[in-house]
Amino acid sequence: MKRILQKIYHCSKVYGFTAAGVVAIVGIIVYERSRNNPVFSSWTTSHNPSVKWDYNWDRREPESTIKPPKVSATDDEKLQYKEKLAKVPTATRHIILIRHGQYFDNENLDINRKLTDLGREQAYLTGARLVDMNYPWSKLISSTMTRAKETADIIHKQLPDLPREECDLLREGAPIPPEPPSGNWRPEKQFYKDGARIEAAFRKYFHRAEPDQTNDSYEIVVCHANVIRYFVCRALQFPPEGWLRISLNHASITWLYIRPNGRVGLRTLGEAGFMPVDKVSVL
């Protein structure tokens, strides 16, 4: 820039540029340099990120769901293809993940691992919170394990008109070996077995809205801490091995949303601030 200014000064002496003319020339040069070398604000300096967002993470980009025309396709067939591509989703899907309430974790059989009195209070408080939020809830889904079903039962009593369903894929398990490793050893076959199931649950429930969905949806899913933590990492495209670094309170609310373009965001993680302090628990 110093050399450029020196040249401009020299030209002004030789060719008789006015001061206004010199200023105009400098302005043009600065503008051109800014176009070629844009300045990024502090939160956008990483314009070459180490990992870029995969917009087709759910394999539901229009190009992935619509069969392309053949090379020999007619103009009408090509036009129909373009029209189908133009029918993109417009609604946002909100997925509200709720961990079950406190339960008797010293029992061996699932049928005996019921909610404690505190766990039932926690579930009631969470149900009341959902009522107060007053969103147009779409459905209530729960794991088939006893503690999750009981939590969903208590919530449903406060939202009695909400359609319900249960899913075995949402049962608790070991999604993937954590990093750093946990002090509690588990055989590799446990991760091998549970991981595929929990990943299948993620693929079933996490995806952008279908093109024919016109209104935003709000689905409540009652399941388990390991499952929720894995879902959060997968949905945000964080390393899934980090799931064990997250801690969730009983009956807490975790809110993820999926935009029509495939972007995913986290609104709340393990929210339990609506409960009195003496009603909050983790174990």
Side-chain angles (χ1 to χ4, degrees):
M1 178 60 78
K2 184 178 180 181
R3 289 181 181 178
I4 293 174
L5 291 174
Q6 288 174 341
K7 288 182 179 180
I8 292 174
Y9 176 77
H10 174 72
C11 289
S12 68
K13 292 295 185 181
V14 175
Y15 300 106
F17 288 169
T18 63
V22 172
V23 171
I25 293 172
V26 171
I28 292 171
I29 293 173
V30 171
Y31 172 73
E32 289 298 325
R33 285 179 64 112
S34 67
R35 288 182 61 190
N36 297 327
N37 300 288
V39 177
F40 296 90
S41 52
S42 60
W43 56 274
T44 58
T45 52
S46 181
H47 52 284
N48 290 315
S50 58
V51 178
K52 291 187 177 182
W53 182 260
D54 177 12
Y55 281 91
N56 197 28
W57 58 272
D58 59 351
R59 301 301 181 263
R60 299 200 183 204
E61 284 275 295
E63 291 82 358
S64 298
T65 59
I66 301 172
K67 184 179 180 179
K70 297 180 180 179
V71 177
S72 59
T74 64
D75 290 342
D76 286 343
E77 290 173 334
K78 292 178 181 178
L79 180 60
Q80 290 175 5
Y81 173 69
K82 291 181 179 179
E83 289 175 347
K84 290 179 180 178
L85 286 180
K87 294 179 180 179
V88 297
T90 57
T92 295
R93 294 187 64 230
H94 298 268
I95 303 176
I96 317 302
L97 302 166
I98 297 175
R99 187 189 178 192
H100 55 77
Q102 186 191 65
Y103 67 105
F104 293 102
D105 60 353
N106 56 343
E107 296 289 342
N108 294 321
L109 298 177
D110 176 65
I111 194 173
N112 295 325
R113 306 188 101 185
K114 299 179 180 181
L115 296 181
T116 63
D117 289 341
L118 175 59
R120 299 185 70 82
E121 288 186 72
Q122 292 167 338
Y124 178 83
L125 291 168
T126 300
R129 172 64 172 168
L130 294 173
V131 171
D132 290 341
M133 290 167 72
N134 196 32
Y135 282 96
W137 307 115
S138 308
K139 66 173 66 173
L140 175 60
I141 308 163
S142 73
S143 156
T144 55
M145 299 188 85
T146 301
R147 55 191 182 274
K149 291 196 296 183
E150 288 186 338
T151 301
D153 288 342
I154 294 171
I155 291 173
H156 192 254
K157 287 180 180 179
Q158 300 174 76
L159 298 167
D161 297 329
L162 204 56
R164 286 192 64 174
E165 65 180 61
E166 296 178 356
C167 181
D168 284 329
L169 296 176
L170 294 168
R171 294 173 71 89
E172 184 64 303
I176 190 173
E179 181 60 39
S182 168
N184 298 322
W185 182 86
R186 288 190 181 185
E188 288 187 8
K189 68 176 183 179
Q190 196 69 39
F191 293 105
Y192 185 78
K193 176 183 176 183
D194 293 346
R197 171 178 55 78
I198 296 172
E199 173 64 19
F202 175 80
R203 298 189 185 193
K204 178 177 180 179
Y205 292 109
F206 283 81
H207 55 80
R208 75 195 72 190
E210 299 294 342
D212 59 357
Q213 180 178 326
T214 56
N215 298 320
D216 292 353
S217 57
Y218 298 81
E219 299 176 22
I220 302 170
V221 181
V222 181
C223 52
H224 309 271
N226 293 359
V227 177
I228 295 173
R229 293 183 285 186
Y230 178 78
F231 284 173
V232 169
C233 291
R234 281 284 282 113
L236 298 179
Q237 298 186 19
F238 294 159
E241 295 85 356
W243 64 272
L244 196 56
R245 304 172 203 170
I246 303 170
S247 181
L248 298 174
N249 292 317
H250 287 121
S252 60
I253 298 174
T254 296
W255 184 328
L256 287 156
Y257 58 86
I258 306 171
R259 297 298 188 197
N261 63 358
R263 294 185 66 170
V264 180
L266 178 67
R267 182 168 293 183
T268 62
L269 177 65
E271 179 191 5
F274 53 87
M275 297 185 190
V277 174
D278 60 342
K279 303 299 181 184
V280 177
S281 66
V282 178
L283 301 175

